């Protein structure tokens, strides 16, 4: 069962217990106790307990579990909060680029900002202690622990900068002199993280090369290298700085240097053979949804671990279940989904389409059994997250399903992008082909893979194809927003998405052959929909050839709904504001 190992020994708990109320109030992070660190970090068992403590912040109530993961990443050109048009509370503003520092969902001192810094403080204590007392070397268990601490600290910082841009940099345990800090230029932090991950990649083992790297909840070399490649691309990409949208002007973060680093790291992972695509896209997601820990060495490089009673990945993103039924207890309503046009942009032969985009919900159960019902044309769901694929009958709002932080598919796409920029489209082609081979059946690969990729003979054509492939591969995983930002395509592609939805609503141009009626009946199991009319061109004279089916309209997509994708210029609001509670507690150092 997935779990974060909670440190129960009182001497380890003491290490992370704060004795400074002012620090608690500001960052809610622990400070060092009087316990002798030499005892903790020279003892492998105690040191492992301390490293596990770094992960506690992921599962805290208002941290990743209930605030950061449910809200960061919507609304993009492929996914949105399904109630973005609502004005009844502050939730939509987190997605529509209009949120304010007093946001009622976020403006508390125990929120994600504080919990991320709590994790960073724990990591800082561990890193300092291991360096001083643990004798961490490559290939040793202490080295694995230090590499893990460096990588976990980088995760927290990467997510802080992803959501807030420039943030305070803390790479040493808090002292009275460093209690209040101003924001640090993110370039400084990115350079430190890239350096740290370089060290971590030397220290940690490949997947399954040691007992410490056998599951996707453990830090391994394939993840560290892939994550380092991701950060290199982000650090050199476009983003909103205080003086406008631009690339970094730091020569150490140039496209030439960072793309070369990213390409090398990705090629190291690919050449290692220690990570691989799951042969079936659907099988990968079915296995992910089970309440078991995946073995390392496959497609999932690392996952944020949640205990059985923590984490809300299904609760937030899964296909809606209206009431208690044969698959879950309580009725859980996923709040997000793909934009309506995305389903129709997939090739009909692409195996990722029906996994990623679901047009139905599970209706009210009768005699404890529910069946699928068609949802609204303007409200789809992410099929990657399904209670019906889980092995437990989950009750409550927490489902214990991990957050996949990075997949091998991303390593392939980063390799393709970096190779295209540095070496040209022919160098990028093999990586793009690997992604598409998994998506299409062997019978159509000569056209859908080989001919398609071979026709991409310019850098621009290859880059545009990579951007599209990223859309088809990662819909629903909340990876798109940061990618659009670094490509300088955030507002451009959101505007394109709204234009596409407008044409889809009117059934004009590229969407002229999308049906306005669906016809459905139930398969032999009595719960699974059999639908005619979802595919382009499945337009019939009333009920001709579809005997036994019930007809329903499939067309409502209003201008107001389309316009709710964003309500303020996304390029001027790429980041959330720091919440007012932290501004007020910063001793005047923080401001928006």
């Amino acid at each position: 069962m997935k779990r974060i190992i909670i440190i129960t020994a009182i001497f380890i708990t003491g290490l992370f217990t704060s004795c400074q109320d002012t620090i608690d109030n500001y960052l809610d992070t622990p400070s060092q106790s009087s316990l002798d660190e030499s005892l903790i970090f020279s003892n492998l068992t105690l040191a492992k307990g301390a490293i596990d403590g770094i992960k506690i912040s992921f599962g805290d109530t208002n941290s990743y579990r209930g605030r950061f993961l449910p809200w960061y990443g919507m609304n993009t050109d492929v996914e949105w909060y399904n109630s973005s048009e609502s004005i009844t509370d502050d939730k939509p503003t987190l997605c529509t680029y209009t949120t304010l520092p007093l946001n009622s969902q976020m403006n508390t001192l125990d929120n994600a900002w504080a919990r991320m810094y709590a994790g960073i403080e724990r990591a800082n204590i561990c890193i300092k202690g291991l360096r001083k007392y643990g004798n961490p070397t490559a290939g040793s268990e202490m080295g694995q622990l230090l590499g893990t601490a460096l990588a976990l600290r980088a995760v927290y910082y990467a997510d802080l900068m992803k959501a807030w841009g420039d943030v305070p940099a803390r790479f040493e345990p808090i002292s009275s002199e460093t209690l209040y800090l101003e924001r640090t230029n993110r370039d400084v932090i990115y350079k430190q993280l890239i350096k740290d991950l370089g060290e971590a990649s030397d220290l940690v083992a490949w997947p399954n090369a040691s007992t410490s790297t056998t599951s996707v909840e453990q830090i391994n070399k394939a993840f560290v290298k892939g994550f380092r490649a991701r950060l290199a691309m982000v650090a050199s990409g476009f983003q909103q700085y205080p003086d406008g949208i631009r690339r970094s002007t730091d020569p150490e973060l140039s496209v030439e240097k960072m793309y070369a680093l990213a390409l090398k790291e990705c090629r190291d992972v690919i050449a290692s053979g220690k990570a691989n695509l799951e042969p079936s896209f659907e099988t990968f997601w079915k296995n992910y949804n089970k309440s078991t820990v995946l073995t390392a060495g496959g497609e999932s490089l690392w996952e944020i671990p949640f205990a059985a009673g923590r984490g809300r990945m299904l609760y937030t993103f899964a296909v809606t279940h209206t009431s208690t039924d044969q698959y879950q207890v309580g009725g859980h309503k996923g709040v997000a989904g793909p934009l309506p046009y995305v389903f129709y942009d997939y090739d009909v032969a692409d195996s990722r389409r029906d996994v990623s985009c679901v047009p139905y919900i599970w209706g009210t159960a009768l005699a404890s059994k529910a069946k699928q019902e068609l949802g609204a044309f303007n409200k789809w769901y992410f099929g990657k997250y399904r209670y019906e694929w889980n092995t437990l009958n989950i009750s409550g709002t927490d489902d214990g399903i991990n957050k996949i932080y990075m997949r091998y598919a991303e390593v392939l796409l980063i390799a393709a992008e970096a190779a295209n920029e540095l070496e040209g489209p022919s160098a990028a082609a093999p990586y793009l082909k690997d992604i598409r081979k998994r998506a299409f059946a062997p019978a159509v690969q000569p056209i859908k893979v080989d001919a398609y990729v071979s026709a991409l003979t310019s850098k621009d054509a290859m880059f545009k194809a990579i951007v599209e492939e990223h859309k088809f591969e990662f819909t629903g995983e909340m990876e798109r927003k940061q990618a659009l930002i670094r490509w300088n395509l955030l507002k451009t592609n959101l505007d394109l998405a709204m234009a596409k939805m407008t044409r889809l609503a009117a059934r004009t141009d590229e969407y002229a052959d999308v049906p306005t009626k669906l016809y459905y009946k139930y398969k032999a199991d009595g719960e699974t929909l059999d639908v005619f009319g979802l595919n382009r061109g499945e337009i019939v004279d009333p009920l001709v050839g579809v005997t036994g089916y019930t007809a329903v309209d499939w067309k409502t997509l209003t201008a107001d709904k389309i316009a709710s994708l964003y309500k303020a210029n996304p390029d001027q609001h790429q980041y959330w504001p720091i919440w007012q509670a932290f501004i007020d507690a910063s001793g005047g150092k923080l401001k928006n």
Side-chain angles (χ1 to χ4, degrees), residues 7 9-17 19 31-41 46-47 50 125 129 133:
I7 304 169
I10 188 154
F11 44 84
I12 296 178
T13 304
L15 179 64
F16 295 138
T17 301
C19 59
S31 66
Q32 298 179 60
S33 73
S34 59
L35 183 67
D36 186 355
E37 292 183 13
S38 64
L39 173 64
I40 299 291
F41 296 109
L46 299 184
I125 292 170
Y133 302 110

Side-chain angles (χ1 to χ4, degrees), residues 263-282:
L263 183 56
K264 179 184 182 303
E265 295 289 26
C266 289
R267 282 176 169 166
D268 283 351
V269 176
I270 294 166
S272 75
K274 301 297 184 180
N276 300 277
L277 288 179
E278 168 70 45
S280 164
F281 192 75
E282 182 176 16

Side-chain angles (χ1 to χ4, degrees), residues 9-65:
I10 188 154
F11 44 84
I12 296 178
T13 304
L15 179 64
F16 295 138
T17 301
S18 175
C19 59
Q20 299 181 42
D21 290 340
T22 53
I23 292 177
D24 276 344
N25 290 337
Y26 172 52
L27 289 175
D28 198 16
T29 58
S31 66
Q32 298 179 60
S33 73
S34 59
L35 183 67
D36 186 355
E37 292 183 13
S38 64
L39 173 64
I40 299 291
F41 296 109
S42 62
N43 180 289
L44 184 61
T45 299
L46 299 184
K48 284 182 177 178
I51 295 298
D52 286 330
I54 299 171
K55 305 172 190 175
I56 291 174
S57 291
F58 293 130
D60 285 337
T61 296
N62 289 330
S63 183
Y64 280 75
R65 164 198 172 269

Side-chain angles (χ1 to χ4, degrees), residues 259 263 267 412-434 436 449-466:
Y259 276 49
L263 183 56
R267 282 176 169 166
L412 291 173
L413 284 179
I414 290 174
E417 184 181 349
N420 181 54
E421 178 64 30
L422 299 176
E423 301 171 4
S426 62
Y431 308 121
L432 184 56
K433 283 185 177 181
D434 282 348
R436 291 183 68 84
V449 178
D450 298 330
Y452 172 83
V453 176
S454 295
L456 304 171
T457 57
S458 70
K459 277 188 177 183
D460 183 61
M462 177 59 77
F463 173 73
K464 289 178 179 176
I466 291 168

Side-chain angles (χ1 to χ4, degrees), residues 199-500:
E199 179 183 4
S201 70
D202 292 333
L203 292 170
V204 301
W206 287 103
N208 297 308
S210 81
T211 57
S212 299
T213 58
T214 57
S215 87
V216 295
E217 295 182 346
Q218 298 166 315
I219 298 294
N220 62 68
K221 196 185 297 288
F223 166 66
V224 170
K225 284 181 171 289
F227 185 35
R228 192 176 188 225
R230 177 198 284 177
L231 291 189
M233 301 296 279
V234 171
S236 62
F238 290 93
Q239 50 197 298
Q240 185 183 5
Y241 286 88
D243 59 351
I245 295 176
R246 58 173 173 81
R247 294 186 187 272
S248 171
T249 57
D250 190 318
E252 294 183 47
L253 299 179
S254 68
V255 168
E256 182 180 32
K257 289 185 177 180
M258 290 294 96
Y259 276 49
L261 184 152
L263 183 56
K264 179 184 182 303
E265 295 289 26
C266 289
R267 282 176 169 166
D268 283 351
V269 176
I270 294 166
S272 75
K274 301 297 184 180
N276 300 277
L277 288 179
E278 168 70 45
S280 164
F281 192 75
E282 182 176 16
T283 297
F284 171 76
W285 286 102
K286 282 184 174 179
N287 289 336
Y288 160 75
N289 278 269
K290 296 177 181 177
S291 295
T292 54
V293 179
L294 296 179
T295 301
E299 183 162 353
S300 181
L301 299 185
W302 182 69
E303 299 178 4
I304 294 177
F306 289 115
R310 306 303 285 171
R312 291 184 169 185
M313 293 304 294
L314 297 191
Y315 178 75
T316 304
F317 298 116
V319 178
T320 284
H321 286 250
T322 304
S323 64
T324 295
D325 59 32
Q326 64 270 38
Y327 297 114
Q328 53 75 59
V329 177
H332 300 297
K333 300 174 175 62
V335 301
L339 304 187
Y341 83 87
V342 174
F343 179 86
Y344 298 103
D345 277 14
Y346 276 98
D347 190 301
V348 69
D350 192 329
S351 65
R352 297 170 295 189
R353 185 192 71 167
D354 294 349
V355 175
S356 302
C357 305
V358 168
Y360 60 78
I361 63 172
W362 290 86
T364 301
L366 298 176
S368 300
K369 186 174 182 179
K371 58 184 179 180
Q372 296 172 357
E373 297 177 358
L374 284 170
F377 180 61
N378 64 5
K379 188 177 288 188
W380 292 65
Y381 295 91
F382 298 127
K384 290 175 177 176
Y385 312 94
R386 307 192 197 197
Y387 284 99
E388 52 270 33
W389 284 349
N390 189 263
T391 51
L392 302 176
N393 204 296
I394 294 172
S395 62
T397 60
D398 288 82
D399 45 65
I401 301 300
N402 289 346
K403 160 63 179 175
I404 298 176
Y405 199 80
M406 192 171 194
R407 292 200 280 124
Y408 181 67
E410 186 178 353
V411 171
L412 291 173
L413 284 179
I414 290 174
E417 184 181 349
N420 181 54
E421 178 64 30
L422 299 176
E423 301 171 4
S426 62
Y431 308 121
L432 184 56
K433 283 185 177 181
D434 282 348
I435 292 286
R436 291 183 68 84
K437 282 178 183 176
R438 198 259 297 271
F440 294 95
V444 298
Q445 286 180 10
I447 296 174
K448 304 297 184 181
V449 178
D450 298 330
Y452 172 83
V453 176
S454 295
L456 304 171
T457 57
S458 70
K459 277 188 177 183
D460 183 61
M462 177 59 77
F463 173 73
K464 289 178 179 176
I466 291 168
V467 170
E468 281 293 283
E469 204 67 33
H470 186 279
K471 174 176 77 176
F472 299 135
E473 185 67 28
F474 291 105
T475 288
E477 297 178 56
M478 304 302 125
E479 301 295 336
R480 188 68 168 174
K481 182 176 178 179
Q482 185 175 57
L484 290 175
I485 288 171
R486 71 174 181 83
W487 291 327
N488 200 22
L489 290 176
L490 183 62
K491 185 176 185 298
T492 297
N493 275 31
L494 265 64
D495 286 343
L496 177 61
M498 289 197 292
K500 283 187 171 188

